[in-house]
Amino acid sequence: MTESLPLFPLHSVLLPGAALGLRIFEPRYLDLVRDCGRNARGFGVCLILSGAEVGAPATPAAYGTEALIEDFGSSDDGLLTLQVRGARRFHVRRTRVRDNGLLVADVDWCPDDPDDELRAEHGLLSTLLERVIGHVGGEFAKAPAARLDDAAWVGWRLAQLLPLADAQRQSLLQEDDPHARLDLLLQLMP
């Protein structure tokens, strides 16, 4: 079922489960946050294919991630700050621009990741993720050990934590099968 979703195009890729901090200052995005608060819903984050984050509406990638607002505040310079977390993935069918310059998309939601266990050929990736998390710490350091056997979770966390280019993260975001996503990660590693 197609649904209308306001977009916040960025020069980065938001992945499911990943946190992202945003500074909001453009009126169109202040309107977006106000609408999301009133309607208790999120907005879409898409990688910018051409254009800039400020000014004229940018051209977004065809796949993105729903951003759910977890916290908000203000910075020292008085700007609204948001802490969002990636939720569902979506595919953009078409876009339109509102009078205030806000990009709105008709989207189809991608299927949820299945609760598949990691396959033997991807065991190295689980070990790598465990070491990366042990080194950088952060919010995932306290995750239950069972998460390291979850194919989707391992793939998303590696896509988030490894030093990948935005185009590489975008190709991982567009992959529906968590095992194929892990295969892509193996190909990207030296």
Side-chain angles (χ1 to χ4, degrees), residues 135-157:
H135 180 70
V136 300
E139 65 179 311
F140 301 117
K142 295 179 182 169
R147 297 296 262 168
L148 293 169
D149 292 327
D150 181 325
W153 193 82
V154 168
W156 290 130
R157 298 297 62 84

Side-chain angles (χ1 to χ4, degrees), residues 6-27:
L7 297 184
F8 196 120
L10 293 172
H11 283 295
S12 61
V13 178
L14 177 63
L15 299 169
L20 178 67
L22 298 171
R23 292 169 35 108
I24 311 295
F25 54 90
E26 286 190 83

Side-chain angles (χ1 to χ4, degrees), residues 76-164:
D76 293 339
D77 55 6
L79 297 179
L80 174 64
T81 59
L82 296 180
Q83 184 69 24
V84 301
R85 183 150 320 261
R88 301 177 289 177
R89 297 176 310 120
F90 59 84
H91 181 227
V92 174
R93 291 295 172 196
R94 66 185 183 119
T95 61
R96 60 193 174 283
V97 180
R98 287 190 183 158
D99 291 344
N100 66 356
L102 182 67
L103 198 58
V104 178
D106 291 333
V107 303
D108 291 331
W109 297 105
C110 297
D112 291 335
D113 285 321
D115 292 330
D116 287 357
E117 285 190 20
L118 206 66
R119 294 178 181 162
E121 64 265 27
H122 300 132
L124 171 66
L125 293 174
S126 177
T127 302
L128 173 64
L129 178 59
E130 186 175 26
R131 288 186 182 163
V132 169
I133 290 173
H135 180 70
V136 300
E139 65 179 311
F140 301 117
K142 295 179 182 169
R147 297 296 262 168
L148 293 169
D149 292 327
D150 181 325
W153 193 82
V154 168
W156 290 130
R157 298 297 62 84
L158 282 173
Q160 175 185 350
L161 298 171
L162 290 178
L164 301 175

Side-chain angles (χ1 to χ4, degrees), residues 171-172 175 179-189:
S171 67
L172 293 165
E175 178 55 60
H179 302 290
R181 203 175 300 130
L182 292 169
D183 288 337
L184 284 171
L185 278 165
L186 282 173
Q187 294 170 20
L188 294 173
M189 297 177 62

Side-chain angles (χ1 to χ4, degrees), residues 31-81:
D31 291 345
L32 175 146
V33 171
R34 186 173 31 258
D35 290 346
C36 288
R38 278 189 199 135
N39 301 317
R41 57 180 295 197
F43 56 91
V45 172
C46 289
L47 178 66
I48 292 175
L49 298 180
S50 67
E53 290 182 354
V54 296
T59 303
Y63 284 83
T65 303
E66 176 186 32
L68 301 177
I69 300 171
E70 290 188 326
D71 199 8
F72 64 92
S74 62
S75 61
D76 293 339
D77 55 6
L79 297 179
L80 174 64
T81 59

